Amino acid sequence: MKSGRVSFIGRPNAGKSTLLNHLVGAKLAIVSDKPQTTRTRILGVRNYPDAQVVFLDTPGIHRPLHRMNVRMVDTAVETIHEVDVLGLVVDVAEPPGRGDRFLLDLVKDAKAPLFLILNKIDLIKKPKLLPMIDRYGKEGRFAEIIPVSASKGDNLDRLERAIIDRLPEGRPVYPDDYLTDQPQRFFAAEIVREKLLQFTHAEIPFSSAVVIDRFEEPSGSKPVLRLYCTIVVDRESQKPIVVGRGGEMIKRIGTAAREELERFFSTRVFLDLHVRVKAHWREDDRVLHDIGMAGRGTPDD
Ligand SMILES: Nc1nc2c(ncn2[C@@H]2O[C@H](COP(=O)(O)OP(=O)(O)O)[C@@H](O)[C@H]2O)c(=O)[nH]1
Ligand SMILES: [Mg+2]
């Protein structure tokens, strides 16, 4: 039996979360076409006949301008020395930039074997891919270079095999029905945030958060999950954008979120959404704590 941990790190939007979801077969991480969607480390366990693999999805590495973003980057960087295999995820359709150099530098001293996961191969023509693999291969830093399409699932079986090959022998750490360590409230907030990201643009996705004020589980007499959430924005001018004309936008977000919440929790959902302006919340320890981004050394409760 093999057992171990793998972390996916990379620039924002490389497809790390899509990869995690596909590998564990569940939507644990929300996905969007906007960068910096993932704000915390998300763990997903997958059991194979001969292995238990713990996959870690992480926030994209970027230049942090707020305390929240510093925590995001720290969270990703911390996993580098905690895993048995390190997967550097690169979007092949994006030109390489300074961010890639920075990342390669970061993982320089990692003890774990470094995999280069060339993602989104469905977006480029094969003749472009081969020289790329060649060029990275010449750097001599990668234990494996594996082209994949996380969204289509192409070549993921090869990635899984290569990962399992490099994991240490060991017993499974988690029971075989264990999927993740994130609490249900986390997923509830993330599903709402995903719809918010989907329907809003420009600065809103970066400067908003979703806080669960109340999470009332369904009970025998009331078979409805009741959720009371606050969407926090950074500036007064952002509130009318999230609410929309005549409340149209918040309704749209609410309806889409409720449908997905009902699927995710397999129950009827009552969703109450509120918008609140809290200037500079991305610097605010309290808010960061409330959205599950407590810093190191910050008490959890
Ligand atoms: N065409 C294509 N798009 C992808 C692939 N993987 C991810 N994406 C898209 O890339 C965007 C960012 O994906 P996400 O998983 O959120 O990236 P992350 O920021 O690294 O977690 C989303 O719009 C995804 O649908 C892929 O293999 N092919
Ligand atoms: Mg992500």
Side-chain angles (χ1 to χ4, degrees):
M1 234 5 227
K2 297 286 195 85
S3 171
R5 289 151 73 90
V6 185
S7 166
F8 297 130
I9 64 163
R11 287 168 62 185
N13 248 0
K16 303 173 290 299
S17 298
T18 307
L19 189 58
L20 171 88
N21 290 342
H22 212 113
L23 289 169
V24 300
K27 191 166 156 192
L28 296 181
I30 62 168
V31 165
S32 92
D33 56 357
K34 281 120 189 154
Q36 301 171 28
T37 300
T38 310
R39 291 178 173 169
T40 50
R41 156 195 141 313
I42 299 175
L43 176 150
V45 181
R46 168 83 185 268
N47 291 294
Y48 299 88
D50 56 342
Q52 181 176 75
V53 186
V54 178
F55 294 103
L56 301 176
D57 177 27
T58 67
I61 309 267
H62 62 285
R63 197 160 62 87
L65 299 179
H66 301 279
R67 185 177 295 195
M68 174 182 80
N69 301 69
V70 171
R71 295 212 178 141
M72 287 162 64
V73 174
D74 283 352
T75 301
V77 172
E78 277 164 22
T79 67
I80 293 175
H81 301 286
E82 291 175 354
V83 291
D84 304 290
V85 170
L86 198 54
L88 179 59
V89 183
V90 170
D91 177 346
V92 292
E94 279 289 310
R98 296 226 321 261
D100 296 285
R101 282 284 126 215
F102 182 78
L103 263 160
L104 282 170
D105 228 46
L106 259 184
V107 298
K108 187 167 83 241
D109 302 320
K111 291 200 185 63
L114 180 62
F115 283 23
L116 180 66
I117 302 167
L118 296 173
N119 188 33
K120 309 198 191 181
I121 54 169
D122 55 296
L123 294 180
I124 62 164
K125 296 227 157 48
K126 221 174 188 164
K128 275 190 77 179
L129 182 63
L130 298 176
M132 206 181 285
I133 295 175
D134 223 44
R135 192 160 39 79
Y136 280 117
K138 287 208 176 84
E139 293 197 19
R141 308 181 49 168
F142 303 107
E144 301 272 352
I145 300 177
I146 303 176
V148 303
S149 168
S151 58
K152 297 206 182 309
D154 292 345
N155 222 18
L156 294 187
D157 50 344
R158 199 186 130 203
L159 173 64
E160 290 169 293
R161 263 305 117 200
I163 288 170
I164 292 169
D165 279 348
R166 302 269 178 165
L167 292 184
E169 303 274 337
R171 304 298 310 158
V173 174
Y174 296 98
D176 63 2
D177 59 350
Y178 189 94
L179 182 60
T180 185
D181 61 354
Q182 296 284 359
Q184 293 204 320
R185 307 168 70 102
F186 169 80
F187 294 109
E190 288 291 89
I191 288 168
V192 174
R193 196 163 63 85
E194 183 179 62
K195 303 310 164 194
L196 177 67
L197 297 192
Q198 192 178 330
F199 298 132
T200 62
H201 305 282
E203 85 269 31
I204 304 284
F206 299 99
S207 49
S208 54
V210 175
V211 178
I212 305 285
D213 303 313
R214 254 160 70 201
F215 185 103
E216 292 174 8
E217 303 216 21
S219 64
S221 58
K222 280 190 283 178
V224 179
L225 170 65
R226 297 178 74 85
L227 277 174
Y228 298 80
C229 307
T230 302
I231 296 175
V232 183
V233 292
D234 205 42
R235 271 184 285 123
E236 208 54 60
S237 62
Q238 293 166 341
K239 189 171 170 174
I241 302 175
V242 174
V243 173
R245 191 181 298 198
E248 179 200 27
M249 179 56 94
I250 191 111
K251 261 191 220 124
R252 201 165 152 208
I253 294 167
T255 303
R258 187 171 43 73
E259 283 169 3
E260 179 140 353
L261 287 160
E262 292 190 334
R263 272 196 300 275
F264 189 87
F265 290 106
S266 307
T267 176
R268 279 184 49 217
V269 171
F270 166 85
L271 177 63
D272 179 77
L273 288 180
H274 239 79
V275 186
R276 184 161 68 97
V277 182
K278 177 132 182 73
H280 309 298
W281 69 263
R282 282 172 289 184
E283 316 298 340
D284 189 324
D285 274 328
R286 279 272 315 238
V287 180
L288 294 178
H289 172 270
D290 285 348
I291 59 172
M293 297 184 69
R296 252 195 294 186
T298 319
D300 230 30
D301 255 323

